[in-house]
């Protein structure tokens, strides 16, 4: 199989921003004198929309998670307006795909303005022909909708696209879409349950570039 499209999650894959989100969730919990139970990190990573609201409502013990989500997103936007930390190997793998004529997209649960801002601030916006945000699909990750839409926008069948993810919800979504799934763990180690859904597992994007080279 020769692949034609590369689809990247953003937080935790392109940028070292997942830590900022998790720090902010914890800060908000502390303000409410809450201690988030074990499992929160894995439950919330890679989600958005109704799924995220359900997670927030469960762990923050509230009936409506929307205000907490809005508060977190606002505080994260403020932090990222100062600096967006990029992950190792990002420019190298994007250049590799460009050199080989592979179309590139971002498919992130984050809001479109935040995706655009991060890409512009780090100088990599021009690598991406398509940007898909979580607000453009009815069901967020772990549903496959966002990757199916990304593949469609790129003009390629899902099974000819490689997706890059750091979360279990993202890998579940990519696998359900029928894509080649590359797991690059960030804050959460790969669990035995998710390993079978990963086409390959890499420590960083430099390793991923070398492992996918034979398929390009």
């Amino acid at each position: 199989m020769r692949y034609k499209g590369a689809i990247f999650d953003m937080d935790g894959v392109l940028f070292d921003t997942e830590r900022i989100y998790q720090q902010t969730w914890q800060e908000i919990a502390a303000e409410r004198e809450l201690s988030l139970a074990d499992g929160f990190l894995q439950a919330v990573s890679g989600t958005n929309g109704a799924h995220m609201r359900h997670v927030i409502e469960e762990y923050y013990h509230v009936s409506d998670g929307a205000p907490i989500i809005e508060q977190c997103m606002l505080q994260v936007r403020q932090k990222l307006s100062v600096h967006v930390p990029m992950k190792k190997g990002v420019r190298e793998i994007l250049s590799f795909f460009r050199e080989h004529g592979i179309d590139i997209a971002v498919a992130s649960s984050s809001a479109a303005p935040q995706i655009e801002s991060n890409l512009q601030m780090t100088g990599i916006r021009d690598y991406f022909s398509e940007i898909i945000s979580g607000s453009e699909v009815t069901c967020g990750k772990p549903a496959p909708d966002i990757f199916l839409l990304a593949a469609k926008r790129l003009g390629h069948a899902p099974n000819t696209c490689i997706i890059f993810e750091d979360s279990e919800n993202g890998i579940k979504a990519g696998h359900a879409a029928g894509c080649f799934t590359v797991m690059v763990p960030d804050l959460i180690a790969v669990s035995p349950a998710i390993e079978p859904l990963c086409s390959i597992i890499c420590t960083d994007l430099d390793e991923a570039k070398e492992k996918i080279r034979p398929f390009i």
Side-chain angles (χ1 to χ4, degrees):
M1 170 72 75
R2 295 292 172 180
Y3 292 90
K4 301 177 181 179
I7 305 170
F8 289 84
D9 176 46
M10 182 177 71
D11 298 300
V13 176
L14 294 174
F15 307 117
D16 193 12
T17 44
E18 193 61 49
R19 298 172 195 279
I20 299 173
Y21 279 98
Q22 294 304 324
Q23 178 188 34
T24 307
W25 290 125
Q26 294 291 343
E27 290 169 354
I28 295 171
E31 291 172 5
R32 293 168 171 261
E33 299 184 345
L34 288 174
S35 178
L36 296 175
D38 292 343
F40 174 76
L41 172 57
Q42 184 165 312
V44 79
S45 295
T47 65
N48 72 307
H51 189 92
M52 178 180 279
R53 286 198 303 275
H54 293 325
V55 171
I56 297 305
E57 288 159 7
E58 176 184 353
Y59 283 87
Y60 284 79
H61 311 294
V62 294
S63 59
D64 182 7
I68 294 176
I69 294 171
E70 184 177 350
Q71 180 183 355
C72 179
M73 298 306 141
L74 174 60
Q75 292 179 203
V76 169
R77 284 198 300 272
Q78 291 170 341
K79 294 173 182 178
L80 294 180
S81 68
V82 178
H83 175 62
V84 181
M86 192 180 300
K87 298 283 280 189
K88 178 184 178 184
V90 170
R91 290 186 185 278
E92 290 79 5
I93 198 167
L94 294 177
S95 296
F96 169 78
F97 283 136
R98 174 182 278 179
E99 290 166 5
H100 288 81
I102 304 298
D103 297 313
I104 312 172
V106 171
S108 169
S109 299
S110 292
Q114 189 64 64
I115 300 172
E116 287 281 0
S117 176
N118 290 357
L119 297 178
Q120 293 287 358
M121 283 189 66
T122 53
I124 61 173
R125 175 63 180 88
D126 289 346
Y127 285 101
F128 298 92
S129 57
E130 297 293 339
I131 290 176
I132 299 89
S133 72
S135 63
E136 296 182 68
V137 294
T138 302
C139 298
K141 304 171 188 177
D145 302 33
I146 195 166
F147 290 126
L148 293 174
L149 179 58
K152 181 179 179 180
R153 292 263 187 90
L154 289 177
H156 302 306
N159 68 349
T160 66
C161 293
I162 304 171
I163 68 106
F164 295 85
E165 269 287 354
D166 68 301
S167 73
E168 294 200 356
N169 285 322
I171 288 294
K172 289 176 182 177
H175 182 266
C179 301
F180 185 96
T181 54
V182 180
M183 177 61 147
V184 188
D186 183 32
L187 300 183
I188 306 171
V190 182
S191 70
I194 210 71
E195 283 185 16
L197 307 185
C198 303
S199 302
I200 58 173
I201 300 171
C202 304
T203 56
D204 55 39
L205 290 176
D206 283 336
E207 181 183 354
K209 176 167 64 70
E210 295 309 314
K211 284 189 174 181
I212 64 175
R213 190 181 291 273
F215 303 107
I216 301 303

